[in-house]
Amino acid sequence: MSETRTGGARDVAALFSHGRLTAVPRKPARREQLLTHLAETLFEPGRSYTEPEVNEALRTVHDDCSALRRYLVVGGMLTRTRDGATYRRTA
């Protein structure tokens, strides 16, 4: 999804209040925009993360870290090893 078409980080900022995510968008395109932003700002490419590290990073923006983690994996922004021990940013 192109930043020009969606408005990029400026649009994503509207989802936050005082650095916290106010709600996870229901519309798939809007949620994808948010998840891309979270993946790019919270996780380094090429680095492996444990599940507790992923949860800790996600809790900095929203209390429901398990839902965000699941959305990131299902959306293809994070990959998870088969045993669930390690996560990596895909892009």
Side-chain angles (χ1 to χ4, degrees):
M1 195 171 286
S2 145
E3 279 198 5
T4 305
R5 199 174 61 156
T6 63
R10 188 176 64 240
D11 274 355
V12 172
L15 299 171
F16 290 83
S17 176
H18 305 288
R20 302 282 296 168
L21 181 62
T22 57
V24 178
R26 291 182 185 201
K27 291 183 179 180
R30 188 79 164 132
R31 186 181 314 133
E32 182 181 352
Q33 185 182 22
L34 168 68
L35 296 173
T36 299
H37 171 76
L38 293 177
E40 290 174 352
T41 58
L42 297 176
F43 304 102
E44 297 174 29
R47 179 176 168 212
S48 293
Y49 294 87
T50 63
E51 186 171 301
E53 288 174 320
V54 172
N55 291 344
E56 183 179 332
L58 293 172
R59 275 193 196 104
T60 65
V61 295
H62 197 270
D63 291 333
D64 193 353
C65 61
S66 60
L68 289 175
R69 187 182 67 241
R70 184 173 50 253
Y71 286 136
L72 285 163
V73 170
V74 170
M77 283 94 178
L78 289 181
T79 58
R80 176 176 51 206
T81 56
R82 182 169 226 139
D83 63 3
T86 305
Y87 293 78
R88 292 178 77 92
R89 183 175 138 190
T90 57

